[in-house]
Amino acid sequence: MKIPTKVVEKQIEKKEEAAVTDKFTRLDHDKQEKILNAALQEFAEQGYEQASTNRIVEKAGIGKGMLFYYFNSKEELFYYLLEFGTDFIEKEYLNQIEEQE
């Protein structure tokens, strides 16, 4: 599953207040999108325990040290994605349902 760029941009702007380092939020949106999509794919396919930060950085095209520069831990990245996904569902789907009612 690939998240559309427009949606990523809206969510990233909102996430600037989340528990993610400022370094990540200052990245250009394309790089943020690559990292988030790589991490989302890895966690979705492997689950948290088996997910590999090595595979995430390989798919995202960044160094492993940079991933931990942007996120302090694998757990922080995972929780960021959970919050990101929850916000995405709420904004893109639940709000549309409420509007139709």
Side-chain angles (χ1 to χ4, degrees):
M1 175 178 126
K2 185 162 170 52
I3 302 170
T5 301
K6 184 173 118 181
V7 172
V8 171
E9 289 174 357
K10 283 195 287 187
Q11 293 295 340
I12 288 170
E13 288 171 9
K14 186 176 180 203
K15 293 289 128 209
E16 289 181 2
E17 300 171 5
V20 63
T21 64
D22 289 335
K23 298 156 191 105
F24 181 73
T25 58
R26 284 185 268 158
L27 285 174
D28 67 76
H29 290 284
D30 288 341
K31 191 164 224 170
Q32 289 179 6
E33 183 178 359
K34 284 181 184 177
I35 294 167
L36 294 178
N37 280 320
L40 179 63
Q41 180 181 1
E42 181 66 16
F43 286 119
E45 291 175 358
Q46 302 298 325
Y48 178 79
E49 291 297 325
Q50 297 300 316
S52 166
T53 54
N54 290 328
R55 286 190 296 259
I56 292 170
V57 298
E58 184 178 321
K59 290 174 190 170
I62 62 170
K64 189 169 186 177
M66 293 308 296
L67 182 66
F68 291 109
Y69 180 72
Y70 303 136
F71 298 93
N72 294 320
S73 65
K74 174 179 157 181
E75 181 180 30
E76 186 177 290
L77 172 59
F78 181 75
Y79 282 116
Y80 179 84
L81 286 172
L82 286 177
E83 188 175 341
F84 186 93
T86 302
D87 288 346
F88 173 78
I89 291 169
E90 181 182 324
K91 291 244 183 264
E92 298 299 316
Y93 296 104
L94 297 180
N95 288 341
Q96 290 179 15
I97 292 171
E98 290 174 2
E99 290 172 4
Q100 292 176 0
E101 293 176 348

